[in-house]
């Protein structure tokens, strides 16, 4: 029970990586406030979390709207009285080439991925500063570090922005005992990968030294480590979780 007594906010927690993170943190003792756009899926996660004997509440809403972040934080403080952990997982992707990418498509990805992450951090930090403790994990991507033909430039740019934001906040918040890190997943088995053609899946697998796609729990276990006391001397890092696809 690495997180006994801790309170965590997780955005984009209705499925995939976000769901795995929610369940992993709950299994290790954390109480949760989870967020996503689909309340029906969030309620399923609540049932699973409660099966571990932990409390789990919902704040539905679009993370690209700053009022959603404020509401999530306000509800968490009202219900639990504190916030120890923030995991910014909510995000979207597009696969539109540069010359076909409309301005509204660009803005949509930037608003959700980068702005949404900033809104959540800025809403949570005053409470973490007050208690002189906090762990923030931003879910980025290896696309932030190296271009990918199957992703729109808006996605890579948004994730690269998240990596810089992570470092900046880590530097600025260190004096308050707040650690800020990012994780950069590579190819992970999710609803999105289920849509791949057999040929494309084979191409992806051929580029992974460990010879398999990652699982959502591969990401969740890394997040668990970073938000636990085992990682109290780690901050400002962007950790790759990609089976060796990209190494730095």
């Amino acid at each position: 029970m690495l997180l006994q007594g801790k309170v965590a906010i997780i955005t984009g927690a209705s499925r995939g990586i976000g769901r795995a993170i929610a369940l992993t943190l709950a299994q290790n003792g954390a109480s949760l406030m989870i967020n996503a756009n689909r309340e029906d899926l969030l309620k399923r996660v609540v049932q699973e979390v409660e099966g571990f004997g932990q409390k789990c509440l919902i704040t539905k809403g679009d993370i690209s709207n700053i009022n959603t972040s404020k509401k999530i934080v306000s509800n968490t403080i009202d219900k639990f009285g504190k916030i120890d952990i923030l995991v910014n997982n909510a995000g979207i992707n597009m696969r539109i080439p540069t010359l076909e990418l409309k301005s509204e498509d660009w803005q949509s990805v930037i608003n959700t991925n980068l702005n949404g992450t900033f809104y959540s951090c800025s809403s949570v930090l005053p409470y973490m500063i007050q208690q002189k403790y906090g762990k923030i994990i931003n879910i980025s991507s290896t696309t932030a570090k190296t271009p990918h033909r199957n992703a729109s430039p808006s996605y890579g740019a948004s994730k690269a922005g998240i990596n810089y934001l992570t470092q900046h906040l880590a530097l600025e918040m260190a004096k308050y005992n707040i650690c800020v890190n990012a994780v950069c997943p590579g190819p992970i088995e999710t609803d999105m990968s289920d849509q791949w053609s057999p040929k494309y899946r084979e191409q992806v697998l051929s580029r992974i030294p460990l010879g398999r796609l990652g699982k959502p729990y591969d990401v969740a276990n890394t997040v668990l480590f970073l938000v636990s006391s085992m990682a109290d001397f780690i901050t400002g890092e962007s950790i790759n979780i990609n089976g060796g696809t990209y190494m730095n």
Side-chain angles (χ1 to χ4, degrees):
M1 302 292 278
L2 294 171
L3 305 178
Q4 189 68 48
K6 301 296 185 184
V7 174
I9 293 172
I10 305 166
T11 68
S14 60
R15 57 188 177 181
I17 291 172
R19 172 183 169 273
I21 292 170
L23 297 182
T24 299
L25 300 195
Q27 282 178 303
N28 281 272
S31 299
L32 307 182
M33 176 66 75
I34 59 174
N35 155 267
N37 286 319
R38 287 189 56 179
E39 191 168 3
D40 58 328
L41 296 180
L42 287 172
K43 286 181 176 178
R44 295 180 190 175
V45 177
V46 169
Q47 291 179 336
E48 291 178 282
V49 169
E50 290 177 343
F52 302 133
Q54 301 301 328
K55 293 180 180 178
C56 184
L57 303 175
I58 291 172
T59 301
K60 178 177 171 286
D62 185 348
I63 206 68
S64 67
N65 184 332
I66 191 171
N67 291 322
T68 298
S69 294
K70 291 180 177 179
K71 186 177 180 182
I72 292 170
V73 171
S74 175
N75 288 349
T76 306
I77 294 297
D78 287 346
K79 298 297 183 181
F80 297 113
K82 65 172 184 170
I83 301 167
D84 300 301
I85 297 163
L86 168 64
V87 181
N88 288 306
N89 175 70
I92 60 173
N93 191 7
M94 292 184 181
R95 306 189 187 280
I96 304 172
T98 301
L99 296 181
E100 298 174 19
L101 192 67
K102 298 177 182 177
S103 61
E104 55 265 32
D105 296 328
W106 172 274
Q107 289 295 341
S108 177
V109 174
I110 297 295
N111 286 341
T112 298
N113 296 0
L114 182 55
N115 293 352
T117 296
F118 172 73
Y119 296 153
S120 293
C121 290
S122 61
S123 297
V124 161
L125 280 169
Y127 296 95
M128 291 184 170
I129 289 171
Q130 186 176 18
Q131 67 189 18
K132 289 187 167 50
Y133 174 83
K135 296 287 184 83
I136 296 177
I137 307 298
N138 299 320
I139 307 300
S140 181
S141 169
T142 49
T143 309
K145 301 179 178 183
T146 185
H148 196 297
R149 293 184 185 275
N150 201 36
S152 291
S154 54
Y155 182 75
S158 70
K159 295 299 188 178
I162 286 173
N163 285 5
Y164 174 78
L165 179 64
T166 297
Q167 292 180 328
H168 189 100
L169 293 179
L171 181 63
E172 196 173 346
M173 295 296 143
K175 62 184 178 182
Y176 302 111
N177 193 34
I178 298 170
C179 295
V180 187
N181 292 289
V183 295
C184 298
I188 304 295
E189 194 83 63
T190 63
D191 293 347
M192 194 176 297
S193 65
D194 290 341
Q195 300 170 16
W196 294 347
S197 68
K199 182 178 179 181
Y200 182 72
R201 177 178 288 268
E202 196 173 302
Q203 290 174 348
V204 171
L205 285 170
S206 70
R207 295 194 295 268
I208 304 174
L210 285 180
R212 68 171 178 88
L213 293 178
K215 302 292 185 183
Y217 284 98
D218 291 320
V219 181
N221 288 334
T222 304
V223 171
L224 172 63
F225 165 70
L226 290 171
V227 301
S228 75
S229 60
M230 292 188 294
D232 282 351
F233 202 55
I234 300 174
T235 195
E237 294 298 320
S238 300
I239 298 174
N240 299 330
I241 310 171
N242 59 28
T245 307
Y246 178 79
M247 304 181 190
N248 71 324

PDB file of all heavy atoms in Angstrom, residues 13-15 19 34-48 56 58-61 191:
ATOM      1  N   ALA A  13      -9.594   9.396 -17.157  1.00  0.00           N
ATOM      2  CA  ALA A  13      -9.490   8.129 -16.421  1.00  0.00           C
ATOM      3  C   ALA A  13     -10.545   7.097 -16.812  1.00  0.00           C
ATOM      4  O   ALA A  13     -10.659   6.071 -16.161  1.00  0.00           O
ATOM      5  CB  ALA A  13      -9.595   8.400 -14.922  1.00  0.00           C
ATOM      6  N   SER A  14     -11.272   7.332 -17.880  1.00  0.00           N
ATOM      7  CA  SER A  14     -12.400   6.443 -18.183  1.00  0.00           C
ATOM      8  C   SER A  14     -12.004   5.138 -18.854  1.00  0.00           C
ATOM      9  O   SER A  14     -12.735   4.154 -18.796  1.00  0.00           O
ATOM     10  CB  SER A  14     -13.422   7.180 -19.063  1.00  0.00           C
ATOM     11  OG  SER A  14     -12.818   7.592 -20.280  1.00  0.00           O
ATOM     12  N   ARG A  15     -10.837   5.104 -19.494  1.00  0.00           N
ATOM     13  CA  ARG A  15     -10.426   3.884 -20.206  1.00  0.00           C
ATOM     14  C   ARG A  15      -8.935   3.924 -20.482  1.00  0.00           C
ATOM     15  O   ARG A  15      -8.248   4.900 -20.192  1.00  0.00           O
ATOM     16  CB  ARG A  15     -11.198   3.734 -21.511  1.00  0.00           C
ATOM     17  CG  ARG A  15     -11.052   4.910 -22.457  1.00  0.00           C
ATOM     18  CD  ARG A  15     -11.986   4.774 -23.632  1.00  0.00           C
ATOM     19  NE  ARG A  15     -11.908   5.931 -24.518  1.00  0.00           N
ATOM     20  CZ  ARG A  15     -12.637   6.085 -25.619  1.00  0.00           C
ATOM     21  NH1 ARG A  15     -13.501   5.146 -25.967  1.00  0.00           N
ATOM     22  NH2 ARG A  15     -12.506   7.162 -26.361  1.00  0.00           N
ATOM     23  N   ARG A  19      -7.502   4.642 -17.041  1.00  0.00           N
ATOM     24  CA  ARG A  19      -8.189   3.659 -16.201  1.00  0.00           C
ATOM     25  C   ARG A  19      -7.177   2.800 -15.459  1.00  0.00           C
ATOM     26  O   ARG A  19      -7.328   2.541 -14.250  1.00  0.00           O
ATOM     27  CB  ARG A  19      -9.094   2.782 -17.056  1.00  0.00           C
ATOM     28  CG  ARG A  19      -9.705   1.601 -16.317  1.00  0.00           C
ATOM     29  CD  ARG A  19     -10.541   0.739 -17.255  1.00  0.00           C
ATOM     30  NE  ARG A  19     -10.904  -0.525 -16.621  1.00  0.00           N
ATOM     31  CZ  ARG A  19     -10.130  -1.630 -16.647  1.00  0.00           C
ATOM     32  NH1 ARG A  19      -8.952  -1.599 -17.279  1.00  0.00           N
ATOM     33  NH2 ARG A  19     -10.519  -2.734 -16.042  1.00  0.00           N
ATOM     34  N   ILE A  34     -11.746  11.211 -10.272  1.00  0.00           N
ATOM     35  CA  ILE A  34     -11.448  10.906 -11.669  1.00  0.00           C
ATOM     36  C   ILE A  34     -12.282  11.775 -12.593  1.00  0.00           C
ATOM     37  O   ILE A  34     -13.393  12.189 -12.268  1.00  0.00           O
ATOM     38  CB  ILE A  34     -11.649   9.409 -11.982  1.00  0.00           C
ATOM     39  CG1 ILE A  34     -13.085   8.972 -11.695  1.00  0.00           C
ATOM     40  CG2 ILE A  34     -10.650   8.564 -11.201  1.00  0.00           C
ATOM     41  CD1 ILE A  34     -13.386   7.535 -12.117  1.00  0.00           C
ATOM     42  N   ASN A  35     -11.723  12.022 -13.769  1.00  0.00           N
ATOM     43  CA  ASN A  35     -12.356  12.919 -14.737  1.00  0.00           C
ATOM     44  C   ASN A  35     -12.272  12.331 -16.140  1.00  0.00           C
ATOM     45  O   ASN A  35     -11.310  11.667 -16.503  1.00  0.00           O
ATOM     46  CB  ASN A  35     -11.661  14.285 -14.716  1.00  0.00           C
ATOM     47  CG  ASN A  35     -11.817  15.045 -16.027  1.00  0.00           C
ATOM     48  OD1 ASN A  35     -10.955  14.950 -16.904  1.00  0.00           O
ATOM     49  ND2 ASN A  35     -12.902  15.754 -16.179  1.00  0.00           N
ATOM     50  N   ALA A  36     -13.296  12.603 -16.927  1.00  0.00           N
ATOM     51  CA  ALA A  36     -13.324  12.328 -18.367  1.00  0.00           C
ATOM     52  C   ALA A  36     -14.626  12.927 -18.887  1.00  0.00           C
ATOM     53  O   ALA A  36     -15.415  13.511 -18.127  1.00  0.00           O
ATOM     54  CB  ALA A  36     -13.237  10.833 -18.664  1.00  0.00           C
ATOM     55  N   ASN A  37     -14.886  12.771 -20.172  1.00  0.00           N
ATOM     56  CA  ASN A  37     -16.108  13.312 -20.762  1.00  0.00           C
ATOM     57  C   ASN A  37     -17.296  12.347 -20.663  1.00  0.00           C
ATOM     58  O   ASN A  37     -18.431  12.786 -20.692  1.00  0.00           O
ATOM     59  CB  ASN A  37     -15.873  13.660 -22.239  1.00  0.00           C
ATOM     60  CG  ASN A  37     -15.044  14.916 -22.399  1.00  0.00           C
ATOM     61  OD1 ASN A  37     -15.240  15.887 -21.684  1.00  0.00           O
ATOM     62  ND2 ASN A  37     -14.112  14.896 -23.342  1.00  0.00           N
ATOM     63  N   ARG A  38     -17.015  11.040 -20.547  1.00  0.00           N
ATOM     64  CA  ARG A  38     -18.094  10.054 -20.539  1.00  0.00           C
ATOM     65  C   ARG A  38     -18.343   9.530 -19.128  1.00  0.00           C
ATOM     66  O   ARG A  38     -17.555   8.758 -18.583  1.00  0.00           O
ATOM     67  CB  ARG A  38     -17.758   8.899 -21.488  1.00  0.00           C
ATOM     68  CG  ARG A  38     -17.862   9.283 -22.954  1.00  0.00           C
ATOM     69  CD  ARG A  38     -17.741   8.076 -23.839  1.00  0.00           C
ATOM     70  NE  ARG A  38     -18.726   7.031 -23.526  1.00  0.00           N
ATOM     71  CZ  ARG A  38     -18.824   5.884 -24.200  1.00  0.00           C
ATOM     72  NH1 ARG A  38     -18.010   5.645 -25.215  1.00  0.00           N
ATOM     73  NH2 ARG A  38     -19.730   4.988 -23.853  1.00  0.00           N
ATOM     74  N   GLU A  39     -19.467   9.943 -18.578  1.00  0.00           N
ATOM     75  CA  GLU A  39     -19.798   9.571 -17.205  1.00  0.00           C
ATOM     76  C   GLU A  39     -20.103   8.088 -17.067  1.00  0.00           C
ATOM     77  O   GLU A  39     -19.809   7.479 -16.039  1.00  0.00           O
ATOM     78  CB  GLU A  39     -20.983  10.400 -16.705  1.00  0.00           C
ATOM     79  CG  GLU A  39     -21.224  10.267 -15.221  1.00  0.00           C
ATOM     80  CD  GLU A  39     -22.207  11.309 -14.701  1.00  0.00           C
ATOM     81  OE1 GLU A  39     -22.731  12.092 -15.508  1.00  0.00           O
ATOM     82  OE2 GLU A  39     -22.448  11.325 -13.483  1.00  0.00           O
ATOM     83  N   ASP A  40     -20.666   7.486 -18.117  1.00  0.00           N
ATOM     84  CA  ASP A  40     -20.998   6.063 -18.043  1.00  0.00           C
ATOM     85  C   ASP A  40     -19.739   5.216 -17.860  1.00  0.00           C
ATOM     86  O   ASP A  40     -19.721   4.272 -17.052  1.00  0.00           O
ATOM     87  CB  ASP A  40     -21.775   5.618 -19.287  1.00  0.00           C
ATOM     88  CG  ASP A  40     -21.018   5.860 -20.590  1.00  0.00           C
ATOM     89  OD1 ASP A  40     -20.253   6.846 -20.668  1.00  0.00           O
ATOM     90  OD2 ASP A  40     -21.200   5.069 -21.545  1.00  0.00           O
ATOM     91  N   LEU A  41     -18.670   5.576 -18.569  1.00  0.00           N
ATOM     92  CA  LEU A  41     -17.421   4.835 -18.425  1.00  0.00           C
ATOM     93  C   LEU A  41     -16.756   5.131 -17.084  1.00  0.00           C
ATOM     94  O   LEU A  41     -16.154   4.239 -16.469  1.00  0.00           O
ATOM     95  CB  LEU A  41     -16.472   5.175 -19.573  1.00  0.00           C
ATOM     96  CG  LEU A  41     -16.933   4.768 -20.979  1.00  0.00           C
ATOM     97  CD1 LEU A  41     -15.892   5.172 -22.015  1.00  0.00           C
ATOM     98  CD2 LEU A  41     -17.214   3.271 -21.059  1.00  0.00           C
ATOM     99  N   LEU A  42     -16.848   6.354 -16.637  1.00  0.00           N
ATOM    100  CA  LEU A  42     -16.284   6.709 -15.333  1.00  0.00           C
ATOM    101  C   LEU A  42     -16.952   5.927 -14.212  1.00  0.00           C
ATOM    102  O   LEU A  42     -16.295   5.496 -13.259  1.00  0.00           O
ATOM    103  CB  LEU A  42     -16.426   8.208 -15.079  1.00  0.00           C
ATOM    104  CG  LEU A  42     -15.511   9.133 -15.879  1.00  0.00           C
ATOM    105  CD1 LEU A  42     -15.909  10.588 -15.661  1.00  0.00           C
ATOM    106  CD2 LEU A  42     -14.041   8.924 -15.511  1.00  0.00           C
ATOM    107  N   LYS A  43     -18.252   5.720 -14.316  1.00  0.00           N
ATOM    108  CA  LYS A  43     -18.976   4.988 -13.272  1.00  0.00           C
ATOM    109  C   LYS A  43     -18.504   3.539 -13.178  1.00  0.00           C
ATOM    110  O   LYS A  43     -18.467   2.956 -12.090  1.00  0.00           O
ATOM    111  CB  LYS A  43     -20.482   5.037 -13.539  1.00  0.00           C
ATOM    112  CG  LYS A  43     -21.105   6.402 -13.243  1.00  0.00           C
ATOM    113  CD  LYS A  43     -22.601   6.407 -13.508  1.00  0.00           C
ATOM    114  CE  LYS A  43     -23.222   7.748 -13.122  1.00  0.00           C
ATOM    115  NZ  LYS A  43     -24.674   7.807 -13.413  1.00  0.00           N
ATOM    116  N   ARG A  44     -18.095   2.966 -14.309  1.00  0.00           N
ATOM    117  CA  ARG A  44     -17.550   1.609 -14.280  1.00  0.00           C
ATOM    118  C   ARG A  44     -16.226   1.577 -13.524  1.00  0.00           C
ATOM    119  O   ARG A  44     -15.942   0.642 -12.769  1.00  0.00           O
ATOM    120  CB  ARG A  44     -17.345   1.096 -15.707  1.00  0.00           C
ATOM    121  CG  ARG A  44     -18.621   0.924 -16.511  1.00  0.00           C
ATOM    122  CD  ARG A  44     -18.298   0.418 -17.917  1.00  0.00           C
ATOM    123  NE  ARG A  44     -19.460   0.451 -18.786  1.00  0.00           N
ATOM    124  CZ  ARG A  44     -19.434   0.154 -20.080  1.00  0.00           C
ATOM    125  NH1 ARG A  44     -18.283  -0.230 -20.636  1.00  0.00           N
ATOM    126  NH2 ARG A  44     -20.538   0.226 -20.811  1.00  0.00           N
ATOM    127  N   VAL A  45     -15.407   2.610 -13.734  1.00  0.00           N
ATOM    128  CA  VAL A  45     -14.138   2.695 -13.018  1.00  0.00           C
ATOM    129  C   VAL A  45     -14.387   2.855 -11.525  1.00  0.00           C
ATOM    130  O   VAL A  45     -13.696   2.248 -10.690  1.00  0.00           O
ATOM    131  CB  VAL A  45     -13.274   3.856 -13.557  1.00  0.00           C
ATOM    132  CG1 VAL A  45     -11.979   3.986 -12.761  1.00  0.00           C
ATOM    133  CG2 VAL A  45     -12.965   3.650 -15.038  1.00  0.00           C
ATOM    134  N   VAL A  46     -15.382   3.665 -11.170  1.00  0.00           N
ATOM    135  CA  VAL A  46     -15.736   3.840  -9.757  1.00  0.00           C
ATOM    136  C   VAL A  46     -16.055   2.496  -9.116  1.00  0.00           C
ATOM    137  O   VAL A  46     -15.586   2.183  -8.010  1.00  0.00           O
ATOM    138  CB  VAL A  46     -16.935   4.808  -9.608  1.00  0.00           C
ATOM    139  CG1 VAL A  46     -17.463   4.779  -8.170  1.00  0.00           C
ATOM    140  CG2 VAL A  46     -16.534   6.225  -9.987  1.00  0.00           C
ATOM    141  N   GLN A  47     -16.832   1.683  -9.795  1.00  0.00           N
ATOM    142  CA  GLN A  47     -17.194   0.368  -9.253  1.00  0.00           C
ATOM    143  C   GLN A  47     -15.964  -0.502  -9.039  1.00  0.00           C
ATOM    144  O   GLN A  47     -15.845  -1.195  -8.025  1.00  0.00           O
ATOM    145  CB  GLN A  47     -18.171  -0.334 -10.205  1.00  0.00           C
ATOM    146  CG  GLN A  47     -19.556   0.316 -10.251  1.00  0.00           C
ATOM    147  CD  GLN A  47     -20.487  -0.384 -11.227  1.00  0.00           C
ATOM    148  OE1 GLN A  47     -20.037  -1.043 -12.179  1.00  0.00           O
ATOM    149  NE2 GLN A  47     -21.785  -0.250 -11.017  1.00  0.00           N
ATOM    150  N   GLU A  48     -15.039  -0.444  -9.997  1.00  0.00           N
ATOM    151  CA  GLU A  48     -13.811  -1.240  -9.866  1.00  0.00           C
ATOM    152  C   GLU A  48     -12.962  -0.748  -8.697  1.00  0.00           C
ATOM    153  O   GLU A  48     -12.417  -1.541  -7.925  1.00  0.00           O
ATOM    154  CB  GLU A  48     -13.010  -1.169 -11.169  1.00  0.00           C
ATOM    155  CG  GLU A  48     -13.671  -1.883 -12.339  1.00  0.00           C
ATOM    156  CD  GLU A  48     -12.875  -1.755 -13.611  1.00  0.00           C
ATOM    157  OE1 GLU A  48     -12.922  -0.690 -14.255  1.00  0.00           O
ATOM    158  OE2 GLU A  48     -12.185  -2.733 -13.978  1.00  0.00           O
ATOM    159  N   CYS A  56     -13.877   6.712  -4.575  1.00  0.00           N
ATOM    160  CA  CYS A  56     -13.639   7.228  -5.925  1.00  0.00           C
ATOM    161  C   CYS A  56     -14.825   8.086  -6.331  1.00  0.00           C
ATOM    162  O   CYS A  56     -15.961   7.611  -6.370  1.00  0.00           O
ATOM    163  CB  CYS A  56     -13.451   6.081  -6.909  1.00  0.00           C
ATOM    164  SG  CYS A  56     -13.031   6.619  -8.583  1.00  0.00           S
ATOM    165  N   ILE A  58     -16.368  11.341  -9.056  1.00  0.00           N
ATOM    166  CA  ILE A  58     -16.332  11.743 -10.462  1.00  0.00           C
ATOM    167  C   ILE A  58     -16.548  13.242 -10.597  1.00  0.00           C
ATOM    168  O   ILE A  58     -17.424  13.817  -9.936  1.00  0.00           O
ATOM    169  CB  ILE A  58     -17.424  11.012 -11.266  1.00  0.00           C
ATOM    170  CG1 ILE A  58     -17.117   9.516 -11.382  1.00  0.00           C
ATOM    171  CG2 ILE A  58     -17.602  11.624 -12.647  1.00  0.00           C
ATOM    172  CD1 ILE A  58     -18.265   8.715 -11.992  1.00  0.00           C
ATOM    173  N   THR A  59     -15.767  13.883 -11.445  1.00  0.00           N
ATOM    174  CA  THR A  59     -16.075  15.224 -11.942  1.00  0.00           C
ATOM    175  C   THR A  59     -15.970  15.164 -13.461  1.00  0.00           C
ATOM    176  O   THR A  59     -14.882  15.106 -14.021  1.00  0.00           O
ATOM    177  CB  THR A  59     -15.119  16.294 -11.405  1.00  0.00           C
ATOM    178  OG1 THR A  59     -15.172  16.309  -9.977  1.00  0.00           O
ATOM    179  CG2 THR A  59     -15.530  17.676 -11.928  1.00  0.00           C
ATOM    180  N   LYS A  60     -17.106  15.135 -14.118  1.00  0.00           N
ATOM    181  CA  LYS A  60     -17.161  15.031 -15.570  1.00  0.00           C
ATOM    182  C   LYS A  60     -16.851  16.396 -16.191  1.00  0.00           C
ATOM    183  O   LYS A  60     -17.177  17.432 -15.619  1.00  0.00           O
ATOM    184  CB  LYS A  60     -18.555  14.557 -15.984  1.00  0.00           C
ATOM    185  CG  LYS A  60     -18.803  14.440 -17.470  1.00  0.00           C
ATOM    186  CD  LYS A  60     -20.195  13.891 -17.717  1.00  0.00           C
ATOM    187  CE  LYS A  60     -20.578  13.958 -19.203  1.00  0.00           C
ATOM    188  NZ  LYS A  60     -20.885  15.333 -19.632  1.00  0.00           N
ATOM    189  N   GLY A  61     -16.234  16.404 -17.375  1.00  0.00           N
ATOM    190  CA  GLY A  61     -16.016  17.664 -18.063  1.00  0.00           C
ATOM    191  C   GLY A  61     -14.832  17.650 -19.002  1.00  0.00           C
ATOM    192  O   GLY A  61     -13.977  16.766 -18.947  1.00  0.00           O
ATOM    193  N   ASP A 191      -7.518   1.062 -27.070  1.00  0.00           N
ATOM    194  CA  ASP A 191      -8.582   1.061 -28.083  1.00  0.00           C
ATOM    195  C   ASP A 191      -8.056   1.546 -29.429  1.00  0.00           C
ATOM    196  O   ASP A 191      -8.483   1.088 -30.484  1.00  0.00           O
ATOM    197  CB  ASP A 191      -9.729   1.978 -27.636  1.00  0.00           C
ATOM    198  CG  ASP A 191     -10.449   1.449 -26.415  1.00  0.00           C
ATOM    199  OD1 ASP A 191     -10.232   0.276 -26.065  1.00  0.00           O
ATOM    200  OD2 ASP A 191     -11.228   2.204 -25.804  1.00  0.00           O
TER     201      ASP A 191
END
